[in-house]
């Protein structure tokens, strides 16, 4: 470069045993010592923080060298001053640097565009990184990038950014770099800003400490709140008492509802207002602001937080915080408190469930004692007073049984337990009817007093079966209802009536009243069972001999045909048969019985025999169906 000697760019002198480079006191540091520093910093503060640390270090070096160039060479053009940067960089031993492409546009005194590209060979920074860590994915020459950036920025007075495109530390043969105005990098300038905005370690530690203190205080507040709520639970207080404690602390309206969206308890908001608000909920998410189980909803006048209440792995309800009139939740704290409230509610529900289960067991055992005939009427009614049940009233016994629709259904025990809970919950919560529930193989036994069903037991049981069908899809339910009994000591008789009635129930007619059996219900008992079987044999003839699956199908076909009054279409639908298939079966039955199935008198006798067959041969029919 004209008029400039290399010695003018780098003057080294010694004075009083101190070294000065370009009149700045300097020290000589080996690249191996730099490598040790580089290695120690990476291991202690991490590669990401090292980037900013070394970039700023190189930036300062480049800026100081540029200040000397600008001060001592006022006659040089901007391009000439910039071209001196790689020379000085090389003279100081950092790298062998050269520019391969350059472009500089100046309008007036302002640089409007800048583009430089070049190569760094034998970078001291890449050399030491390779020795200490081996190849790394991405560039490692952060001081070199910082130097070029600081140098050119100081020369032209505009923000620039130089970055590596490839690096020896990444396995490339040499380091390739590129520099532009910061405004020309656009989105790629984010790397520069990340270096510039990196906080000093002490400042970051200070901020981290402040966050930890805030977090500690938040956890202490949440912990105190949880302890207060737990103490209320330990004292045996109910959900309303617990909500009172919480509402006094945060003054945020609270609502607890069950899984059917029935409000169990509320504080700070009426049930009517909550229903209005919840109908307007619109869900949205706040990233990293809320507990994962807590959902956030907006409504026209505010915000709501909602979290589920779990019991034995199932959602049994929800907890809500309602924020109205521009009140904004502290998502982190409030979501933790809401989660703790859900835990408390879960414990309350578990306590309630345990009490209910225990009571249902007591009531089931009591029903067994009633049916066994161990006690007098006075003893039974006295014991019934303890469970708030008036057994001096007339009552019904209901047998509720079920049949699975597929072979993949639940185990008998699991299904029975679920069914028992559903029936108990239905009568307790939906109908507010005090029922005694007992167990028999594959069936439940219900004792229901007449006053509670308002003289319409069939309607109540029909509603029960409809409710069960909605909840359980893999089974259907059949019921038999005894006659009305006025003396509780006759419960055993009533149970026999219900069991006889349920044997005539079918999927298309799931409920049978004992009164529907007419005279047959009166005739069938243990004392005359053989006489009844004789009548069945006389009417069904060969169909009643050596019964197998084929004969059972024919008996079932005949029963439905007679029950439908001889209507072929309806009978075919009930049996899921084609008309031709039905006619074939009826012809076969006619031949076997040698009678006219259209004869009213014969129809009556056959129907009576078939009903009796279903009752007295119930166990045989069931075994054939199982086999």
């Amino acid at each position: 470069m004209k008029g400039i000697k290399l010695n003018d760019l780098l003057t080294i002198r010694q004075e009083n045993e101190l070294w000065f480079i370009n009149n700045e006191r300097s020290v000589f540091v080996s690249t191996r010592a730099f490598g040790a520093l580089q290695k120690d910093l990476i291991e202690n503060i991490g590669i990401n923080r090292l980037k900013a640390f070394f970039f700023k270090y190189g930036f300062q070096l480049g800026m100081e060298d540029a200040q000397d160039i600008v001060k001592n060479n006022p006659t040089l053009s901007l391009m000439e001053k910039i071209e001196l940067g790689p020379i000085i960089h090389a003279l100081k031993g950092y790298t062998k640097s050269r520019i391969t492409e350059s472009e500089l546009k100046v309008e007036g005194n302002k640089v409007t565009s800048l583009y430089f590209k070049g190569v760094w060979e034998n970078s001291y920074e890449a050399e030491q990184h390779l020795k200490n860590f081996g190849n790394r994915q991405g560039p490692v020459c952060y001081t070199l990038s910082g130097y070029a950036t600081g140098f050119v920025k100081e020369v032209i007075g505009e923000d620039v950014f130089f970055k590596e495109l490839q690096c020896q530390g990444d396995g490339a043969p040499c380091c390739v770099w590129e520099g532009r105005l910061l405004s020309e990098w656009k989105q790629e300038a984010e790397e520069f800003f990340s270096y510039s905005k990196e906080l000093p370690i002490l400042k970051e530690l200070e901020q981290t400490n402040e966050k930890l203190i805030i977090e500690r205080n938040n956890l202490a507040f949440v912990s105190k709140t949880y302890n207060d709520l737990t103490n209320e639970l330990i004292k045996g207080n109910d959900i309303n008492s617990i909500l009172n404690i919480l509402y006094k602390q945060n003054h945020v309206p609270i609502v607890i509802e069950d899984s059917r969206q029935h409000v169990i308890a509320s504080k700070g908001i009426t049930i009517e207002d909550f229903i209005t608000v919840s109908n307007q909920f619109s869900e949205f998410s706040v990233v990293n602001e809320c507990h994962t189980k807590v959902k956030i909803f907006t409504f026209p006048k505010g915000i709501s937080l909602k979290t589920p209440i779990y019991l034995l792995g199932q959602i049994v309800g929800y907890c809500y915080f309602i924020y109205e009139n521009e009140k904004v939740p502290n998502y982190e704290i409030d979501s933790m408190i809401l989660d703790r409230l859900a835990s408390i509610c879960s414990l309350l529900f578990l306590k309630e469930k345990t009490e209910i289960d225990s009571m249902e067991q007591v009531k089931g055992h009591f029903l067994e004692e009633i049916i066994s005939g161990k006690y007098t009427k006075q003893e039974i009614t006295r014991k019934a007073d303890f469970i708030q049940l008036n057994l001096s009233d007339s009552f019904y016994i209901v047998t509720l049984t079920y049949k699975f629709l597929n072979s993949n259904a639940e185990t008998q025990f699991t299904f029975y337990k679920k069914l028992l809970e559903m029936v108990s919950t239905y009568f307790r919560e939906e109908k507010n009817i005090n029922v005694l529930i007992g167990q028999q193989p594959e069936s439940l036994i219900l004792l229901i007093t007449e006053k509670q069903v308002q003289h319409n037991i069939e309607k109540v049981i029909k509603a029960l079966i409809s409710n069960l069908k909605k909840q359980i899809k893999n089974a259907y339910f059949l019921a038999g209802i005894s006659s009305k009994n006025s003396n509780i000591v006759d419960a055993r008789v009533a149970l026999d009536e219900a069991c006889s009635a349920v044997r005539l129930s079918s999927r298309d007619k799931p409920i049978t009243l004992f009164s529907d059996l007419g005279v047959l219900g009166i005739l069938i008992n243990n004392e005359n069972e053989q006489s009844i079987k004789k009548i069945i044999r006389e009417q069904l003839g060969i169909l009643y001999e050596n019964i197998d699956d084929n004969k059972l199908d024919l008996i079932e076909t005949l029963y439905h045909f007679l029950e439908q009054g001889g209507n072929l279409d309806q009978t075919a639908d009930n049996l899921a048969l084609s008309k031709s298939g039905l006619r074939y079966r009826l012809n076969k039955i006619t031949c076997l019985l040698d009678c006219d199935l259209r004869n009213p008198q014969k129809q009556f006798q056959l129907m009576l025999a078939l009903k009796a067959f279903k009752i007295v041969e119930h166990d045989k029919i069931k075994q054939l169906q199982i086999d």
Side-chain angles (χ1 to χ4, degrees):
M1 193 171 289
K2 254 182 190 182
I4 293 184
K5 299 176 182 178
L6 293 182
N7 288 342
D8 294 333
L9 297 176
L10 188 69
T11 59
I12 302 175
R13 64 184 176 84
Q14 188 178 26
E15 184 179 320
N16 296 329
E17 298 184 351
L18 301 177
W19 288 98
F20 292 83
I21 298 178
N22 293 346
N23 296 321
E24 288 285 339
R25 182 181 172 180
S26 303
V27 294
F28 294 98
V29 178
S30 70
T31 56
R32 190 168 63 179
F34 172 84
L37 173 65
Q38 180 192 57
K39 182 175 184 293
D40 197 44
L41 287 172
I42 289 176
E43 291 176 349
N44 283 276
I45 67 175
I47 189 69
N48 289 326
R49 181 170 292 285
L50 178 79
K51 295 178 184 179
F53 185 88
F54 277 172
F55 183 87
K56 289 179 180 179
Y57 168 69
F59 186 93
Q60 182 66 28
L61 293 176
M63 187 176 66
E64 290 177 358
D65 285 349
Q67 287 172 350
D68 289 339
I69 292 296
V70 172
K71 179 181 177 181
N72 298 325
N73 302 280
T75 60
L76 295 179
S77 68
L78 286 180
M79 179 63 84
E80 290 173 326
K81 291 175 183 177
I82 292 171
E83 288 174 342
L84 289 176
I87 297 173
I88 297 173
H89 214 184
L91 288 174
K92 289 190 173 182
Y94 295 113
T95 182
K96 181 180 179 182
S97 181
R98 57 190 173 89
I99 299 171
T100 57
E101 299 178 44
S102 61
E103 183 181 326
L104 184 69
K105 292 182 181 178
V106 181
E107 294 183 7
N109 293 323
K110 184 176 178 64
V111 175
T112 57
S113 179
L114 177 146
Y115 173 75
F116 282 86
K117 192 172 183 179
V119 174
W120 291 320
E121 295 178 301
N122 301 318
S123 161
Y124 81 108
E125 203 166 359
E127 176 188 276
Q128 290 302 313
H129 197 283
L130 286 170
K131 285 182 179 180
N132 291 321
F133 299 102
N135 283 348
R136 179 185 180 276
Q137 188 174 0
V140 299
C141 300
Y142 307 115
T143 63
L144 303 189
S145 297
Y147 182 94
T149 301
F151 187 93
V152 176
K153 173 181 168 46
E154 186 66 22
V155 169
I156 69 173
E158 299 287 343
D159 286 330
V160 298
F161 179 45
F162 282 70
K163 66 182 293 183
E164 277 190 285
L165 303 180
Q166 67 179 46
C167 181
Q168 279 183 286
D170 192 20
C174 62
C175 301
V176 177
W177 52 267
E178 182 178 327
R180 302 180 193 174
L181 290 175
L182 190 62
S183 59
E184 293 180 311
W185 280 109
K186 298 180 181 178
Q187 291 183 353
E188 293 174 286
E190 285 300 318
E191 185 179 350
F192 171 80
F193 290 117
S194 69
Y195 297 153
S196 304
K197 294 177 181 178
E198 189 74 40
L199 289 172
I201 294 177
L202 286 177
K203 183 65 176 176
E204 184 169 324
L205 288 174
E206 182 181 317
Q207 289 188 0
T208 301
N209 186 55
E210 290 175 358
K211 289 179 180 178
L212 287 173
I213 292 172
I214 293 172
E215 187 67 23
R216 183 195 65 189
N217 293 337
N218 288 345
L219 289 174
F221 176 73
V222 172
S223 179
K224 180 182 181 303
T225 301
Y226 185 58
N227 288 338
D228 291 343
L229 300 183
T230 304
N231 288 335
E232 286 297 301
L233 181 65
I234 292 171
K235 292 175 185 176
N237 292 328
D238 62 11
I239 186 66
N240 291 306
S241 176
I242 289 170
L243 295 192
N244 285 336
I245 294 291
L246 187 54
Y247 186 71
K248 286 178 182 178
Q249 291 183 356
N250 61 10
H251 303 289
V252 175
I254 313 163
V255 175
I256 310 295
E257 69 175 14
D258 63 20
S259 57
R260 294 180 298 279
Q261 296 183 319
H262 297 160
V263 175
I264 298 171
S266 64
K267 186 66 180 177
I269 186 171
T270 65
I271 295 176
E272 293 75 16
D273 287 344
F274 172 71
I275 292 173
T276 301
V277 166
S278 62
N279 288 335
Q280 301 171 338
F281 278 170
S282 177
E283 186 175 352
F284 79 106
S285 61
V286 179
V287 179
N288 296 328
E289 288 286 350
C290 210
H291 192 283
T292 52
K293 287 192 294 186
V294 175
K295 291 186 177 181
I296 306 169
F297 296 86
T298 60
F299 54 95
K301 293 185 179 180
I303 295 172
S304 173
L305 300 185
K306 172 185 177 181
T307 196
I309 302 169
Y310 286 93
L311 181 61
L312 304 177
Q314 294 184 330
I315 295 177
V316 294
Y318 297 93
C319 296
Y320 296 83
F321 282 165
I322 309 295
Y323 305 83
E324 295 184 283
N325 302 322
E326 299 182 355
K327 187 172 182 179
V328 179
N330 182 327
Y331 292 106
E332 185 175 0
I333 295 179
D334 290 359
S335 63
M336 284 193 291
I337 293 175
L338 190 63
D339 192 42
R340 300 303 189 279
L341 175 60
S343 298
I344 293 293
C345 289
S346 179
L347 291 173
L348 278 171
F349 287 177
L350 179 60
K351 174 176 174 287
E352 182 180 327
K353 182 180 185 307
T354 303
E355 291 173 349
I356 291 171
D357 288 348
S358 298
M359 177 57 69
E360 290 301 329
Q361 288 179 8
V362 169
K363 290 164 71 175
H365 181 66
F366 182 41
L367 179 56
E368 290 176 6
E369 291 181 331
I370 293 172
I371 293 172
S372 70
K374 290 170 60 176
Y375 299 105
T376 65
K377 181 176 181 180
Q378 289 74 20
E379 289 175 318
I380 292 172
T381 53
R382 179 175 58 81
K383 286 190 174 186
D385 290 339
F386 295 133
I387 55 174
Q388 289 79 51
L389 184 62
N390 182 9
L391 290 185
S392 62
D393 185 19
S394 297
F395 66 93
Y396 298 93
I397 294 285
V398 178
T399 298
L400 179 69
T401 187
Y402 50 87
K403 295 187 183 297
F404 292 124
L405 294 173
N406 56 67
S407 57
N408 296 323
E410 303 170 69
T411 64
Q412 188 77 16
F413 176 76
T414 304
F415 185 84
Y416 171 78
K417 185 178 179 182
K418 181 167 73 173
L419 178 62
L420 180 61
E421 289 182 357
M422 287 182 176
V423 173
S424 174
T425 300
Y426 176 78
F427 281 114
R428 185 179 63 255
E429 298 182 4
E430 298 288 336
K431 295 298 182 180
N432 194 28
I433 295 177
N434 193 356
V435 178
L436 295 184
I437 306 176
Q439 178 186 8
Q440 281 196 341
E442 298 184 10
S443 62
L444 297 182
I445 306 302
L446 316 177
L447 189 153
I448 308 174
T449 56
E450 182 188 24
K451 286 183 179 178
Q452 293 188 102
V453 296
Q454 298 177 348
H455 312 289
N456 200 335
I457 183 67
E458 186 176 6
K459 181 179 179 181
V460 170
I461 299 305
K462 184 178 180 181
L464 169 64
I465 290 177
S466 176
N467 181 272
L468 293 174
K469 286 169 64 177
K470 290 177 183 177
Q471 299 183 70
I472 302 176
K473 305 299 184 183
N474 63 339
Y476 65 92
F477 302 91
L478 307 174
I481 304 174
S482 74
S483 59
K484 182 172 66 174
N485 290 263
S486 59
N487 191 344
I488 192 61
V489 296
D490 293 332
R492 177 75 245 183
V493 175
L495 174 59
D496 291 340
E497 292 178 353
C499 290
S500 295
V502 77
R503 290 167 186 171
L504 291 181
S505 297
S506 59
R507 191 172 179 184
D508 56 303
K509 186 185 176 186
I511 301 173
T512 303
L513 279 70
F514 182 74
S515 58
D516 292 342
L517 274 60
V519 69
L520 188 63
I522 300 172
L523 292 175
I524 295 177
N525 55 60
N526 291 332
E527 294 179 0
N528 60 12
E529 183 173 320
Q530 293 306 316
S531 298
I532 295 297
K533 286 184 177 181
K534 183 179 179 182
I535 294 173
I536 297 171
R537 190 174 296 107
E538 289 175 354
Q539 293 299 322
L540 298 184
I542 196 171
L543 289 178
Y544 192 52
E545 296 175 5
N546 302 319
I547 299 175
D548 56 18
D549 288 337
N550 291 329
K551 287 185 177 180
L552 196 60
D553 286 340
L554 294 176
I555 290 172
E556 195 67 23
T557 301
L558 178 58
Y559 180 82
H560 280 275
F561 175 73
L562 297 175
E563 189 178 42
Q564 298 303 323
N567 187 310
L568 291 178
D569 292 330
Q570 191 62 48
T571 305
D573 287 343
N574 288 348
L575 293 171
L577 287 173
S578 65
K579 272 191 179 182
S580 59
L582 176 60
R583 287 194 180 96
Y584 171 79
R585 286 192 183 183
L586 292 175
N587 288 334
K588 189 171 183 179
I589 293 168
T590 301
C591 291
L592 290 173
L593 297 184
D594 190 22
C595 67
D596 181 7
L597 297 183
R598 295 289 182 179
N599 183 294
Q601 182 63 27
K602 190 60 178 178
Q603 285 182 345
F604 173 77
Q605 293 173 345
L606 285 172
M607 192 62 179
L608 196 65
L610 288 169
K611 286 184 176 182
F613 170 77
K614 281 179 169 287
I615 296 172
V616 300
E617 299 292 1
H618 177 262
D619 294 337
K620 182 184 290 187
I621 295 170
K622 182 179 175 183
Q623 189 59 46
L624 283 170
Q625 290 172 337
I626 292 173
D627 294 341

